[in-house]
């Protein structure tokens, strides 16, 4: 709703004005009733699923404009964006996507503090001179309205060429160009319909003559078939991209019976290996794999042979000469590191190299000339580094305590190993490890800045007991000088799906919240991977209610411990985290003051009608038991008319191929109609974005800044209260 004159209102009247403005602009409603196993369920806003409908578009635009007008009233609305950009400039530049070739050429993306997007650089060795290789602004620069970002890079083994993947406006579909490193010549052939940033990258053939990648079969990113029938293809340098050859797909390998909603991929490999391993990815922890000789695949043969089965509980397979190293969860609650013979594999009865560690989950490993380096985490947040060598296992003391350790290596025939350490309050730092001297040498490609505004912020890792007795890990960040008097603004972030862990990283968003006097909590709820496969399955399909009930229990604990109070709590969930926060607010609307649903999955009964449906993770309406689970986790269907709900901020991306934007739109429409509180329900659609990624950094900062501002406004922070001018 637009106001033609300025009104100067007291705060209570201002809130009432917001509320009334929403109620006078209802979404168009054309109800549809479906019957599932004898149960009739009405969907009041099925019409909003048609994103091409003019009335749907206009309502989304009007809600977004209204949301912007409301947020513009808040004095410190731009604080977050300005602070993040200032921090970027203070650091000087940041580096990401580092890749090192076998001959020690470094390739990476670098963004200077005052730049909108990252550019591609390289250097010959860590100490070599840095050279600019490619600026994505050059791509399609003659065409208007383009703003590409580089989302993946892959150098050839010899570092002479590099494949560069670019996308724009939140789209996952990418264009790939090939650059000759020495001359900076860009090959005229452009590969389209690629998805390297989504599907495990670009992998070069041993002789550098071409590479393997995953391609989409459908070119329309809004098609329901967009993620179906993806295929692994081989491209030969210098040939017409339209002549790419499928090497691992349902069409090319019908005997493998690959389903349309599965993703056939070839795992990462080394040059000295004789085989490729193909994996059928379907968002399960353990997957079916096949194996083929490299020579056979290159020559066009399709003789893939079965390798491991999901029942083997094997993952992270890596070939080392005639052995396969892998992580095993077979007959154990925690992961083991095992090996088996590649010519006669027996994954269930494999040799155990590193037994399970009670309370520690083996997260990653790298094979080098000197042994196997591997990392573990406790509750997903306390990381350790080990080296397995000559049958012995020893812990390596890392430079500083870290919540996350990332490993890099050059392959089994090299000693080179690097670790990157980070934590909730520790900036990321990269080190080369020398096994002979047992010393770490810093090799940071970006400067490590000082952050005096964060010096008093502490991190506390706790566990709380849920209603059924499970110990739920919670990470807390706050200023050490706060008082536990129940008056602190608390923001709880939670996810809990796909076995994904909320891994510690240098969380500037969290730290800025804490520097504004608030408390951050990361609730590591069931459905994630923080405590192994059992933890994942504890919030999966019909057990999904544990996910949001863990969040509810964490909230009540923090209130009881006086970190905050009901009027000071905001919860935040993104993507599948929309299930978590959406159902927490609809089950306990009295417990939270504010809710942020960022590009969130909120209408799970309709998931199979969306672009990126995930019935293998959440369930199918075609199965009677799974239907009940989907109905239970559907926040949209649990909105009850006449209920007072918390203030809610709902976002979507028009180009989002992960969570279709009609989900947040329908959720907002129904919530506005049903809610009887005076709390605002705001919907903001990013018409130039998608699922948070593949956009310029300032755009991402602005989107986070809106959520940050909304939450602090609703939780009563004095610097974030509207100034009384409604336009």
């Amino acid at each position: 709703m637009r106001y033609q004159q300025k009104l100067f209102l007291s705060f209570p009247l201002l809130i009432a004005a917001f509320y009334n403005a929403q109620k006078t602009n209802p979404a168009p409603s054309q109800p549809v009733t479906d019957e599932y196993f004898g149960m009739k369920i009405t969907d009041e806003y099925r019409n909003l699923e048609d994103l091409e409908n003019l009335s749907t578009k206009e309502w989304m635009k009007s809600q977004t404009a209204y949301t912007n007008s409301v947020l513009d009233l808040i004095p410190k609305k731009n604080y977050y964006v300005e602070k993040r950009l200032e921090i970027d400039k203070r650091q000087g530049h940041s580096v990401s996507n580092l890749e090192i070739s076998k001959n020690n050429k470094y390739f990476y993306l670098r963004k200077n503090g005052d730049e909108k997007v990252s550019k591609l650089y390289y250097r010959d060795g860590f100490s070599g001179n840095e050279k600019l290789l490619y600026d994505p602004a050059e791509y399609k620069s003659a065409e208007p309205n383009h703003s590409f970002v580089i989302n993946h890079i892959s150098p050839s083994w010899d570092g002479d060429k590099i494949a560069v993947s670019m996308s724009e406006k939140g789209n996952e579909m990418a264009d790939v160009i090939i650059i000759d490193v020495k001359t900076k010549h860009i090959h005229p052939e452009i590969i389209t319909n690629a998805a390297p940033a989504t599907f495990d990258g670009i992998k070069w053939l041993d002789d550098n003559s071409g590479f393997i990648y995953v391609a989409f079969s459908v070119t329309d990113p809004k098609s329901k078939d967009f993620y179906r029938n993806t295929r692994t293809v081989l491209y030969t340098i210098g040939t017409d991209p339209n002549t790419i050859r499928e090497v691992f797909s349902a069409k090319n390998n019908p005997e493998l019976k690959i389903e349309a909603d599965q993703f056939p991929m070839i795992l990462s490999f080394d040059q000295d290996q004789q085989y490729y391993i193909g994996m059928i990815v379907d968002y399960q922890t353990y997957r079916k794999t096949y194996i083929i000789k490299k020579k056979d695949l290159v020559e066009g043969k399709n003789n893939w042979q079965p390798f491991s089965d999901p029942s083997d509980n094997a993952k992270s397979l890596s070939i080392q000469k005639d052995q396969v190293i892998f992580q095993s969860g077979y007959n154990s609650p925690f992961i083991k590191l095992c090996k088996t013979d590649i010519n006669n594999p027996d994954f269930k009865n494999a040799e155990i190299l590193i037994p399970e560690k009670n309370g520690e989950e083996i997260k990653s490993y790298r094979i080098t000339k000197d042994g196997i380096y591997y990392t573990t985490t406790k509750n997903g947040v306390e990381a350790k580094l080990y080296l397995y060598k000559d049958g012995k296992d020893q812990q390596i003391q890392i430079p500083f305590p870290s919540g996350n350790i990332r490993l890099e290596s050059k392959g089994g025939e090299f000693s080179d190993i690097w670790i990157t350490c980070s934590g909730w309050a520790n900036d990321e730092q990269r080190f080369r490890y020398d096994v002979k001297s047992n010393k770490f040498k810093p090799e940071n490609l970006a400067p490590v800045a000082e952050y005096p505004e964060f010096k008093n912020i502490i991190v506390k890792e706790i566990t709380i007991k849920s209603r059924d007795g499970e110990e739920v890990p919670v990470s807390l960040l706050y200023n050490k000088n706060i008082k536990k008097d129940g008056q602190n603004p608390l923001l709880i972030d939670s996810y809990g799906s796909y076995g994904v862990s909320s891994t510690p990283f240098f969380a500037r968003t969290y730290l800025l919240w804490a520097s504004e006097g608030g408390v951050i909590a990361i609730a590591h709820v069931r459905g994630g991977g923080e405590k192994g496969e059992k933890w994942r399955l504890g919030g999966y399909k019909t057990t999904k209610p544990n996910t949001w009930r863990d969040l509810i229990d964490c909230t009540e604990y923090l209130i009881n411990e006086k970190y905050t109070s009901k009027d000071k709590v905001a919860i935040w969930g993104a993507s599948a985290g929309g299930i978590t926060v959406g159902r927490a607010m609809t089950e306990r609307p009295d417990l939270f003051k504010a809710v942020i649903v960022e590009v969130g999955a909120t209408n799970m009964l309709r998931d199979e009608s969306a672009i990126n449906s995930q019935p293998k993770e959440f369930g199918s309406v075609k199965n009677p038991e799974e239907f009940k689970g989907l109905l239970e986790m559907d926040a949209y269907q649990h909105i009850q008319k006449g209920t007072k709900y918390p203030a809610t901020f709902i976002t979507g991306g028009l180009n989002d191929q992960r969570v279709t934007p009609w989900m947040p739109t329908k959720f907002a429409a129904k919530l506005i109609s049903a809610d009887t509180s005076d709390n605002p329900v705001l919907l903001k659609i990013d018409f130039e974005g998608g699922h948070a990624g593949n956009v310029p950094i300032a755009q991402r900062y602005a989107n986070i800044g809106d959520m940050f501002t909304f939450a602090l406004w609703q939780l009563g922070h004095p610097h974030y209260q509207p100034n009384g001018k409604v336009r």
Side-chain angles (χ1 to χ4, degrees):
M1 181 175 180
R2 296 180 179 177
Y3 291 82
Q4 297 304 316
Q5 73 266 22
K6 295 180 181 180
L7 303 179
F8 294 84
L9 303 175
S10 66
F11 187 71
L13 290 177
L14 178 62
I15 296 300
F18 290 160
Y19 174 75
N20 291 331
Q22 289 292 73
K23 293 297 181 182
T24 57
N25 185 23
S29 172
Q30 296 175 15
V32 173
T33 299
D34 298 307
E35 184 171 335
Y36 304 91
F37 307 102
M39 182 184 295
K40 292 184 177 180
I41 296 177
T42 299
D43 183 347
E44 293 94 329
Y45 295 96
R46 180 69 59 82
N47 54 294
L48 295 182
E49 294 182 12
D50 182 3
L51 296 174
E52 298 303 316
N53 184 280
L54 182 60
S55 63
T56 300
K57 288 182 177 179
E58 288 302 316
W59 194 76
M60 292 166 66
K61 290 178 180 178
S62 69
Q63 289 299 305
T64 300
Y66 175 74
T67 294
N68 289 335
S69 72
V70 171
L71 295 178
D72 284 344
L73 301 174
I74 297 173
K76 287 190 72 172
K77 187 231 177 194
N78 295 320
Y79 168 77
Y80 179 86
V81 176
E82 292 170 353
K83 190 66 177 177
R84 286 302 304 266
L85 292 173
E86 185 270 317
I87 286 174
D88 288 354
K89 291 180 181 179
R90 187 193 315 174
Q91 185 181 19
H93 68 268
S94 59
V95 165
S96 63
N97 295 63
L98 173 65
E99 297 287 341
I100 305 173
S101 67
K102 287 295 182 72
N103 55 357
N104 214 36
K105 291 181 182 178
Y106 281 56
F107 299 87
Y108 50 90
L109 302 183
R110 166 177 164 157
K111 189 186 82 67
N112 292 334
D114 58 352
E115 291 180 327
K116 293 181 179 180
V117 299
S118 298
K119 301 173 184 177
L120 174 60
Y121 288 80
Y122 82 103
R123 58 175 73 180
D124 194 353
F126 173 73
S127 301
N129 293 327
E130 183 178 72
K131 299 178 182 178
L132 173 63
L133 189 55
Y134 190 69
D135 181 348
E138 298 174 13
Y139 188 63
K140 296 186 178 180
S141 58
E143 301 177 22
N145 301 319
H146 283 298
S147 55
F148 282 89
V149 296
I150 300 174
N151 58 14
H152 180 78
I153 59 173
S154 179
S156 58
W157 297 103
D158 57 13
D160 286 349
K161 296 182 178 66
I162 186 167
V164 181
S165 167
M166 290 175 291
S167 189
E168 65 173 341
K169 299 180 180 178
N171 285 303
E172 295 192 30
M173 186 181 292
D175 290 354
V176 177
I177 61 172
I178 299 102
I179 303 175
D180 290 331
V181 174
K182 186 175 181 179
T183 64
K184 298 185 181 182
H185 168 70
I186 300 172
H187 290 229
E189 299 84 13
I190 297 175
I191 296 168
T192 59
N193 304 343
T198 304
F199 297 115
D200 204 34
I202 291 171
K203 303 173 180 73
W204 287 79
L205 300 180
D206 291 347
D207 62 0
N208 303 303
S209 63
F211 48 75
I212 298 165
Y213 67 96
V214 174
F216 290 110
S217 294
V218 174
T219 58
D220 179 7
K222 296 181 180 180
S223 167
K224 189 178 181 301
D225 293 326
F226 182 67
Y227 284 103
R228 296 172 67 83
N229 294 307
T230 60
R231 56 224 164 94
T232 292
V233 301
L234 189 156
Y235 173 69
T236 301
I237 302 298
T239 63
D240 183 347
N242 293 319
T243 65
I244 55 174
R245 176 163 61 88
E246 295 188 27
V247 293
F248 190 41
S249 67
K251 180 181 177 181
N252 191 62
N253 311 95
E255 72 283 359
L256 303 185
K257 295 180 171 57
I258 301 171
E259 298 176 16
D261 61 349
Q262 294 178 317
F263 307 105
M265 299 184 213
I266 291 178
L267 301 183
S268 297
F269 53 85
D270 215 337
Q271 276 182 299
D272 62 353
Q273 297 172 5
Q274 298 181 41
Y275 299 90
Y276 293 122
I277 297 177
M279 175 179 284
I280 308 299
V281 177
D282 56 5
Y283 292 105
Q284 301 304 298
T285 302
Y286 302 109
R287 293 131 176 190
K288 191 170 186 62
T289 64
Y290 298 89
I291 194 167
I292 190 173
K293 287 186 177 180
K294 287 182 174 179
K295 183 173 180 290
D296 288 351
L297 181 139
V298 172
E299 291 178 354
K301 298 177 182 178
N302 290 331
N303 53 341
W304 287 94
Q305 299 299 313
F307 200 45
S308 69
D309 187 80
S311 64
D312 293 327
N313 285 19
K315 64 178 184 177
S316 302
L317 283 64
S318 179
I319 298 173
Q320 181 71 2
K321 296 182 179 178
D322 59 350
Q323 301 290 317
V324 181
I325 312 297
F326 64 98
Q327 292 176 290
S328 172
Y330 187 71
N331 281 346
S332 60
F334 291 97
I335 294 295
K336 309 179 290 284
L337 199 63
C338 301
K339 75 173 180 179
T340 188
D341 190 283
I342 195 167
N343 297 308
N344 187 27
D346 186 349
F347 292 95
K348 290 186 175 69
N349 299 294
E351 178 184 345
I352 298 174
L353 301 176
I354 302 163
E356 58 184 305
K357 294 177 176 289
N358 189 28
E360 294 180 43
E361 183 81 1
I362 296 175
K363 298 300 290 187
S364 65
Y365 71 93
R366 291 290 184 274
I367 300 170
T368 72
K369 182 179 179 181
D370 303 306
I372 302 174
Y373 293 87
Y374 69 96
T375 67
T376 68
T377 63
K378 178 182 178 182
N379 290 337
V381 294
E382 298 175 36
K384 294 180 182 178
L385 175 66
Y386 295 87
L387 172 61
Y388 175 83
K389 181 180 181 181
D390 299 329
K392 296 180 181 179
D393 184 28
Q394 66 182 55
Q395 184 178 350
I396 301 172
Q397 293 301 316
I398 56 178
F400 57 85
S402 299
N404 183 38
I405 302 171
R406 191 171 70 249
L407 298 175
E408 299 171 58
S409 67
K410 287 169 63 175
E413 69 272 30
F414 296 89
S415 290
D416 303 78
I417 187 78
W418 295 265
I419 69 167
T420 301
C421 300
S422 61
W424 299 121
N426 294 328
D427 202 353
E428 185 174 276
Q429 293 194 52
R430 184 170 172 274
F431 302 88
R432 175 190 284 270
Y433 178 64
D434 186 306
V435 67
K436 293 180 180 178
S437 64
N438 189 29
K439 291 183 179 180
F440 289 93
K441 179 182 178 182
E443 279 199 4
N444 294 303
L445 291 169
V448 179
E450 295 292 328
Y451 302 97
E453 62 267 57
F454 301 151
K455 68 178 181 179
N456 290 325
I457 295 173
I458 61 173
V459 177
K460 186 177 182 180
E461 303 290 356
I462 65 172
T463 58
I464 70 103
K465 188 162 286 189
S466 67
R467 65 192 71 188
D468 61 358
E470 286 285 358
E471 297 284 339
V472 181
V474 179
S475 302
L476 296 173
L477 289 79
Y478 54 86
N479 189 296
K480 66 182 182 181
N481 297 316
I482 68 163
K483 296 178 181 179
K484 290 172 67 175
D485 57 3
Q487 296 304 304
N488 302 299
L490 171 67
L491 179 61
I492 310 178
D493 190 1
S494 59
Y495 184 70
S497 287
Y498 299 110
V500 173
S501 299
S502 296
T503 304
F505 63 102
F506 187 55
R508 293 173 179 86
T509 298
Y510 298 158
L511 295 168
L512 285 172
W513 179 276
S515 69
E516 287 288 90
V519 177
I520 282 284
I522 300 94
H524 303 279
V525 297
R526 274 173 280 186
E530 286 85 350
K531 298 174 73 172
E533 184 68 0
K534 180 183 175 183
W535 199 248
R536 160 180 158 76
L537 295 177
Y540 170 78
K541 289 189 176 179
T542 56
T543 63
K544 195 65 181 169
N546 289 326
T547 303
W548 64 82
R549 287 170 187 160
D550 283 351
L551 173 56
I552 290 170
D553 294 345
C554 289
T555 304
E556 290 185 322
Y557 173 87
L558 294 169
I559 290 172
N560 292 336
E561 291 295 310
K562 303 295 184 183
Y563 282 99
T564 192
S565 58
K566 287 185 178 182
D567 289 337
K568 297 288 184 179
V569 178
I571 55 175
W572 176 15
S575 193
I579 298 171
T580 311
V581 298
R583 283 299 285 118
M585 74 170 280
T586 49
E587 189 161 298
R588 286 293 307 276
D590 62 304
L591 188 59
F592 314 103
K593 175 60 178 172
V595 178
I596 300 168
V597 186
E598 182 189 4
V599 293
T602 51
N603 188 194
M604 296 307 293
L605 274 184
R606 297 289 295 160
D607 182 55
E608 287 172 279
S609 298
I611 295 173
N612 185 32
S613 63
Q614 298 298 332
K616 292 178 181 176
E617 172 69 18
F618 301 112
S620 172
V621 294
K622 300 170 186 176
N623 177 298
E625 288 303 311
E626 292 182 358
F627 155 71
K628 293 177 184 177
L630 285 166
L631 177 59
E632 184 63 20
M633 71 180 78
D634 191 312
Y636 171 80
Q637 286 294 343
H638 278 81
I639 296 171
Q640 298 296 318
K641 203 163 188 68
T643 302
K644 292 184 177 181
Y645 287 104
T648 311
F649 188 81
I650 304 157
T651 76
L654 191 64
N655 301 317
D656 191 343
Q657 290 115 28
R658 299 291 184 95
V659 176
T660 183
W662 53 252
M663 275 204 188
T665 301
K666 288 175 66 178
F667 187 69
K670 189 172 182 180
L671 190 60
I672 290 169
S673 174
D675 182 29
T676 56
S677 77
D678 288 339
N679 296 318
V681 177
L682 303 181
L683 172 67
K684 182 164 184 176
I685 301 296
D686 185 348
F687 292 94
E688 295 291 322
H691 202 67
N694 295 336
V695 295
I697 194 66
Q699 184 176 338
R700 176 63 182 149
Y701 288 168
N703 290 336
I704 298 175
D706 287 343
M707 296 181 279
F708 190 96
T709 298
F710 171 81
L712 286 173
W713 162 35
Q714 287 302 308
L715 302 189
H717 194 293
H719 298 157
Y720 290 83
Q721 300 313 301
N723 60 21
K725 299 176 183 177
V726 181
R727 293 177 175 83

